Amino acid sequence: MDRRSNPYAPGAGLQPPELAGRAALIDDTSIDMDRVLASRPAKGLMLLGLRGVGKTVLLNRLRALADEKGFCSIRVEAPEGGNLPELLTPQLRQTLYALDLRKAATHNLHRAANVFANFAKAFKVKTGDLEFSVDFAPGEGDTGNLEQDLPRLLGTTARAAAERQTAVGLFIDEVQYLSSQELAAVIVACHEVAQENLPLLFIGAGLPQVAALAGKAKSYAERLFDYPNVGSLEPDDARCALVKPAEAEGASYEGGAVEEILAAAQNFPYFIQEWGYQVWNAAPSSPITREMVRAATPQVVEHLDSSFFRVRFDRLTPLEQKYLRAMAELGPGPHATGEIAQTLGVATASIATVRQRLVAKGMIWSQRHGETSFTVPMFDAYMKRQMPELLRHVPQPRGR
């Protein structure tokens, strides 16, 4: 079939042709945005889910919706070991300019610009000069304590937005990579802004452990945000995600081909896109049959192994790889921490730091105390392909 007309879009954060199964969440968030614009309270969101469920796609869709409604939106992606002030200041600078263009600069905008300048200076973030008046008055946003300064910065920015009858949308992807201090500062800022009923809406996205991290950072976080689970698609939604894009191009599936793909993809949005894309390219013609899918599946798996899975595997130390291989031996999970250690041939306490590093890298998470699960769907099968033999760990004696 013609690759030029291939309708599928596998890739990190790429908008699929059919955003199936997320309409209710988008509609609810649209209402929350309208409430914020009308100076009515609304909870922020933490979109939680495994890799490959479309959290980034959904976050981008919600940001686009906010832009359509007239929000001044700020979007950052938190990298491992990143610096939140460095990520936020360029976006906030752009937001202040957007607010300035709406009408002549007023007291609240001048104040927001002043706090911004103080904040950038306190956290040693290089940023361009602001083209409207800044008096650099000390005392606002310049303590160097993020938990004190970020609420002041976002609060003054939201006040300036309110003066212009608009709102600020703060979108943060990969929330699990924020440090505990950074996450606490974001929560405090959202809390203080909400208490003053200022027009700011926070929407974050991250791995499932973010709910626990937020609660640990600030106990009231569980009441400040909603935590919708973004998971694999329901069967009918998964079918729509696969079939509708093909139908739009005049192609179809038959003979159990759809069921074959969805079973292989386990209804995960990213994997549906990957299977659809590769099968389309390999199929000689429409309709696409089960036999065509089966013939293309080894190529799909090989592609996933060399890209989606491999980039995560290559970030691991040899001991971390062994730990995940021991998990894979037990199946998809979740697994008891002690059972993983036993499979690896070591005491549980001796690999506690390895487990913690894997959590920090976003490779595993714990839904309940003493349990461990993969954050990447199908990673157990990949580990068995990558490391066919389970090697027990033999701790090296420490030098005296």
Side-chain angles (χ1 to χ4, degrees), residues 164-180:
R164 285 151 175 73
Q165 283 144 12
T166 185
V168 177
L170 176 58
F171 300 82
I172 300 182
D173 201 4
E174 304 287 8
V175 172
Q176 72 278 353
Y177 290 140
L178 294 177
S179 70
S180 57

Side-chain angles (χ1 to χ4, degrees), residues 37-58:
L37 287 168
S39 299
R40 297 181 182 275
K43 280 188 175 183
L45 291 181
M46 288 282 196
L47 308 172
L48 305 182
L50 303 177
R51 300 291 186 190
V53 297
K55 300 184 300 299
T56 299
V57 167
L58 187 53

Side-chain angles (χ1 to χ4, degrees), residues 32 35-36 38-43 194 197:
D32 288 339
R35 288 181 60 84
V36 171
S39 299
R40 297 181 182 275
K43 280 188 175 183
N197 198 28

Side-chain angles (χ1 to χ4, degrees), residues 1-14:
M1 296 171 65
D2 189 353
R3 293 181 61 183
R4 297 177 187 83
S5 58
N6 191 322
Y8 300 102
L14 294 183

Side-chain angles (χ1 to χ4, degrees), residues 80-326:
E80 287 185 64
N83 183 305
L84 186 60
E86 286 186 356
L87 295 170
L88 282 177
T89 48
Q91 296 285 329
L92 280 162
R93 182 174 183 268
Q94 184 177 352
T95 297
L96 292 175
Y97 275 126
L99 292 172
D100 183 47
L101 291 172
R102 289 174 179 259
K103 62 168 67 173
T106 58
H107 169 73
N108 280 327
L109 182 59
H110 281 300
R111 184 182 174 200
N114 175 65
V115 175
F116 170 82
N118 289 340
F119 182 89
K121 183 178 180 182
F123 290 95
K124 299 178 174 59
V125 179
K126 292 182 179 180
T127 183
D129 294 333
L130 292 169
E131 294 176 4
F132 42 88
S133 174
V134 178
D135 58 18
F136 293 100
E140 287 199 300
D142 59 0
T143 69
N145 182 324
L146 190 62
E147 197 169 313
Q148 294 182 34
D149 294 342
L150 186 61
R152 184 63 60 88
L153 176 58
L154 292 180
T156 54
T157 303
R159 284 190 193 92
E163 203 168 47
R164 285 151 175 73
Q165 283 144 12
T166 185
V168 177
L170 176 58
F171 300 82
I172 300 182
D173 201 4
E174 304 287 8
V175 172
Q176 72 278 353
Y177 290 140
L178 294 177
S179 70
S180 57
Q181 293 82 5
E182 290 172 342
L183 181 56
V186 170
I187 293 169
V188 170
C190 291
H191 189 216
E192 293 189 8
V193 167
Q195 286 178 318
E196 295 186 51
N197 198 28
L198 294 172
L200 182 142
L201 181 64
F202 171 83
I203 302 180
L207 295 174
Q209 62 260 38
V210 165
L213 292 174
K216 184 177 180 181
K218 294 293 174 182
S219 60
Y220 54 77
E222 64 182 29
R223 289 165 284 147
L224 187 63
F225 307 119
D226 287 328
Y227 297 86
N229 178 55
V230 183
S232 58
L233 298 176
E234 294 296 324
D236 287 346
D237 294 325
R239 176 178 286 273
C240 285
L242 179 65
V243 171
K244 281 193 173 182
E247 288 179 343
E249 297 295 332
S252 63
Y253 294 86
E254 70 171 28
V258 171
E259 289 72 18
E260 188 80 18
I261 290 177
L262 298 184
Q266 298 179 20
N267 287 3
F268 284 104
Y270 170 73
F271 295 122
I272 291 173
Q273 295 299 309
E274 195 66 71
W275 250 274
Y277 183 84
Q278 300 292 347
V279 167
W280 178 284
N281 289 342
S285 61
S286 176
I288 298 169
T289 65
R290 183 191 293 268
E291 289 70 28
M292 294 177 188
V293 174
R294 288 177 174 173
T297 288
Q299 180 182 344
V300 181
V301 173
E302 181 181 353
H303 179 75
L304 288 170
D305 283 358
S306 64
S307 55
F308 181 79
F309 294 127
R310 183 80 197 189
V311 294
R312 291 163 171 81
F313 180 84
D314 286 346
R315 297 168 57 240
L316 306 174
T317 68
L319 183 52
E320 290 166 354
Q321 292 171 359
K322 284 184 179 180
Y323 189 99
L324 295 186
R325 179 60 181 83

